[in-house]
Amino acid sequence: MREVLRRIVAAVCLYGGIALCLTVDSGLYQIEPIDWNREVYDRQQQSQQITGMMGQYLGPEMVEDVDLASNTRGTIDEFIAEETEGRLIDVSGSQWEGLWNDIAATVQDRAPSKAWAQRRGQKYHEDYVYLPSSARPLKQLAATWPQGYLQTYVRIKPVRSTARPQYLSVSICGPSCIRDGALTHIVYPYRTLGASLLLSGLLFYILVPRRPTPETGMFYQARAAGWLPDFLAAFGSGAFFGLPFLITSDTAGGPLSSDWWPLTFFMWAMAGLFASIFVITTWYQTRRVTWDNDGISVGTWGKSPQHFLATEIESIDPFTWKMPTWLRYAAWIISIFNWRATSSAILLERSDPGFQLAINDGTTFCFTGDGLYGADGLLKWIDAHEIPVNAEARELMKTKSAYECGKAGTIVGTIFAVLTLGAGTPFLLQLAADAMPQPEPQYRDASFESKTEFVQPIRDAKPTLIESTTTTSPDMASNVVITPEVLQREAEIIEQIKQIRDELRGLQSEIGTVSNPNAEVIEKVQTAMQQLTELQAEFDAVRGTSPSEKVVPESP
């Protein structure tokens, strides 16, 4: 029974651990406190930089009336109203004021606690905080979320003070967004449990002792028909089981979503083929025959051995084991479309000769030859009781001598176990430590009177589209001749960016709701955002890498 339990526990820990390690948290908000004065300043600066750059090549009179930040020239309230139109949620209360205070302090390097600091984004996402949508008081937003938007503004009106309202930008995070910005324990909340399951399954499989070898008996060797095939089963089935989680990691819904279930079904079917090796090795490791003066006992699948008297045994006949016909045909059909599968189809055609023990009531017990020990001892017992034995089966049984425990087998098994534990244990422990769950931040009640003025910090961030065209050193700017080809390419990139932005505006009405988002449209939005990033990088590189770029020699 221990061999059955060994593989059941190992399989449950393997597949459960992989699923938990690769499952991304889908219930997160990406939150940023808004400094509207900084927003106005940044847009006006960008407008000046663009018009200044274009004026150098087109002439100041051509851009004199161009103002790309015209919506910031009015009052701050007018600018806020235009930016938040159609996606504004009004809230109030000490819970919201306390939440805003803590978020603002966190992004300004003054986190009120370690738990809040752990919720802050990393790298280029340090201005954001990642919180669960079920947290108090964020769970109120689901009922009033603007339809068709993934991002909204929350206006927090003070209750007991004359301070101005404060704003939060709240976005629904997709898997790719979470992985780029949040820390590991936020992205993969179940990874520590998953890594612990994987390690537990590994330790259980290796450390649970095996059944003692009988002095007289017929059984299969653990190495050839046990842990080596089990290792192949775990590696192959684990890889195919985990692939759907990795392939669908950038989309909402995961591997079981309606868009991905055909791929998931195929991958998990392949995983099932490899997992069937667990069943086969269980059969081998629980198949055991012992005998005494009265008869023989046959044990299989961990059940109580069946005892048969010598007079009940009819004969020993030859037996040949082959792969199921449907599986062999399927392999050859696959090889027609993929020649690389031909070798697998050939391997499936192999057969394993053995023998079968026939009982008077029609029951038969089959034994294949590979990895079998002790058949010659059973043959002597059979001959002593004058039971008929087929000549072909007799020759095979003579070659299967009794098992002798040698040092070589013990050394190989020990080395394999040590290498497996030595490589797997540190990796899984590190995986669990990196994603160790952190305490939830405390959501305090407060008021805007208890906060200091929020000013969005200036960080060393990746240059924007505008900054990338204006940060060239004076010496380089004076030495580079901007050709019409460069200007034309820049205009093409700007036009492509405009087209993608128009596409994003069109997708806003198709995104769905918070409770029922449209995964296909969300994926299109993410693709468009990736294209914008690539165009940004291309725009940054146009002047520095343009083949038409020429350097004017300095005058003596």
Side-chain angles (χ1 to χ4, degrees):
M1 189 64 186
R2 73 180 70 184
E3 296 302 326
V4 178
L5 186 62
R6 184 195 309 277
R7 286 161 181 80
I8 291 177
V9 172
V12 170
C13 290
L14 174 66
Y15 306 126
I18 292 174
L20 291 173
C21 283
L22 299 179
T23 299
V24 180
D25 193 348
S26 58
L28 287 176
Y29 284 148
Q30 184 186 62
I31 306 175
E32 177 189 16
I34 303 298
D35 179 2
W36 291 111
N37 291 323
R38 176 66 185 278
E39 291 287 327
V40 170
Y41 173 79
D42 286 344
R43 296 198 184 188
Q44 292 177 353
Q45 287 294 108
Q46 291 175 0
S47 177
Q48 293 177 9
Q49 292 167 358
I50 282 185
T51 55
M53 178 192 70
M54 299 302 294
Q56 294 178 10
Y57 311 113
L58 303 178
E61 66 280 355
M62 298 295 294
V63 297
E64 183 177 359
D65 297 329
V66 176
D67 186 3
L68 301 179
S70 58
N71 62 337
T72 66
R73 306 304 178 184
T75 64
I76 188 69
D77 291 334
E78 292 173 343
F79 174 70
I80 295 174
E82 181 177 346
E83 289 295 304
T84 61
E85 183 180 2
R87 46 183 179 150
L88 180 64
I89 300 176
D90 283 313
V91 297
S92 63
S94 58
Q95 295 180 0
W96 283 102
E97 294 182 46
L99 178 68
W100 194 94
N101 290 348
D102 291 338
I103 292 176
T106 299
V107 300
Q108 294 181 101
D109 302 318
R110 296 185 289 104
S113 66
K114 183 179 179 181
W116 273 105
Q118 293 289 338
R119 287 285 168 176
R120 187 182 183 182
Q122 55 184 341
K123 296 182 179 179
Y124 298 116
H125 302 268
E126 290 183 333
D127 291 335
Y128 299 101
V129 170
Y130 296 86
L131 295 175
S133 56
S134 59
R136 182 183 71 97
L138 294 174
K139 58 184 177 182
Q140 302 174 16
L141 300 180
T144 55
W145 194 277
Q147 185 175 2
Y149 290 95
L150 288 176
Q151 184 263 346
T152 188
Y153 290 97
V154 177
R155 178 166 58 192
I156 305 173
K157 297 180 178 179
V159 177
R160 294 188 299 273
S161 71
T162 58
R164 291 179 60 86
Q166 299 295 343
Y167 291 78
L168 293 173
S169 171
V170 183
S171 303
I172 300 175
C173 288
S176 60
C177 171
I178 299 175
R179 283 201 314 275
D180 291 342
L183 297 177
T184 303
H185 73 275
I186 299 176
V187 181
Y188 301 102
Y190 315 110
R191 176 165 286 186
T192 297
L193 177 59
S196 301
L197 265 180
L198 290 171
L199 182 59
S200 299
L202 179 63
L203 293 175
F204 184 87
Y205 183 90
I206 293 178
L207 299 181
V208 170
R210 302 185 180 275
R211 278 197 304 178
T213 302
E215 295 182 1
T216 58
M218 185 174 65
F219 59 93
Y220 288 92
Q221 183 190 30
R223 181 175 69 254
W227 50 263
L228 277 179
D230 285 341
F231 177 78
L232 175 63
F235 183 79
S237 64
F240 280 105
F241 181 79
L243 274 176
F245 291 93
L246 297 176
I247 295 173
T248 63
S249 60
D250 287 335
T251 60
L256 297 179
S257 64
S258 57
D259 294 332
W260 291 103
W261 72 261
L263 173 68
T264 301
F265 175 81
F266 174 76
M267 291 293 182
W268 286 0
M270 295 297 296
L273 289 178
F274 278 96
S276 64
I277 298 177
F278 282 130
V279 180
I280 296 173
T281 57
T282 301
W283 182 89
Y284 275 110
Q285 291 301 295
T286 57
R287 196 76 156 176
R288 181 169 293 193
V289 178
T290 57
W291 51 85
D292 54 25
N293 293 331
D294 296 330
I296 64 172
S297 296
V298 182
T300 186
W301 296 117
K303 299 178 181 178
S304 299
Q306 295 178 269
H307 188 75
F308 300 97
L309 298 175
T311 56
E312 296 180 278
I313 302 174
E314 183 176 326
S315 63
I316 303 292
D317 301 312
F319 165 78
T320 302
W321 181 87
K322 289 185 177 181
M323 283 290 183
T325 304
W326 66 267
L327 182 59
R328 289 184 281 125
Y329 285 168
W332 283 113
I333 293 173
I334 293 173
S335 67
I336 296 175
F337 302 96
N338 185 358
W339 62 269
R340 297 178 181 86
T342 305
S343 58
S344 299
I346 295 174
L347 288 175
L348 291 177
E349 290 292 338
R350 295 179 58 187
S351 61
D352 186 10
F355 60 90
Q356 64 180 7
L357 183 67
I359 309 299
N360 291 335
D361 61 2
T363 304
T364 58
F365 296 94
C366 301
F367 301 88
T368 56
D370 286 349
L372 183 65
Y373 285 88
D376 62 339
L378 177 62
L379 179 62
K380 294 176 182 179
W381 184 89
I382 292 289
D383 289 339
H385 289 78
E386 301 181 351
I387 299 173
V389 179
N390 181 276
E392 182 180 346
R394 178 181 294 275
E395 293 301 320
L396 176 64
M397 295 177 71
K398 286 181 178 180
T399 63
K400 306 300 178 181
S401 58
Y403 178 74
E404 296 181 2
C405 184
K407 293 183 179 180
T410 303
I411 292 174
V412 171
T414 303
I415 291 176
F416 183 82
V418 170
L419 290 177
T420 303
L421 288 176
T425 302
F427 171 75
L428 294 174
L429 289 176
Q430 185 63 45
L431 197 68
D434 291 342
M436 187 68 68
Q438 302 296 325
E440 284 289 323
Q442 182 181 1
Y443 302 100
R444 303 175 296 179
D445 294 348
S447 67
F448 288 153
E449 296 175 345
S450 61
K451 72 172 184 63
T452 58
E453 189 64 25
F454 172 67
V455 179
Q456 199 172 43
I458 301 176
R459 309 190 188 283
D460 296 331
K462 185 177 181 179
T464 64
L465 180 62
I466 306 306
E467 292 168 345
S468 64
T469 65
T470 59
T471 55
T472 308
S473 66
D475 293 337
M476 287 186 64
S478 61
N479 291 340
V480 176
V481 176
I482 304 300
T483 65
E485 290 82 359
V486 173
L487 290 176
Q488 181 181 359
R489 183 55 190 153
E490 290 179 347
E492 291 174 354
I493 294 175
I494 293 174
E495 181 63 27
Q496 292 177 22
I497 291 175
K498 182 180 178 181
Q499 292 176 359
I500 294 176
R501 287 177 175 172
D502 291 341
E503 180 185 355
L504 288 173
R505 293 191 186 98
L507 291 173
Q508 287 179 353
S509 60
E510 305 175 15
I511 289 177
T513 64
V514 177
S515 58
N516 187 26
N518 190 326
E520 182 178 354
V521 175
I522 292 175
E523 184 177 359
K524 291 181 179 179
V525 171
Q526 293 172 342
T527 302
M529 296 301 296
Q530 180 63 31
Q531 293 174 348
L532 283 176
T533 303
E534 294 173 355
L535 288 172
Q536 164 76 57
E538 185 177 356
F539 191 95
D540 293 343
V542 165
R543 302 224 172 154
T545 61
S546 174
S548 60
E549 179 179 288
K550 296 181 180 180
V551 179
V552 179
E554 297 181 359
S555 57

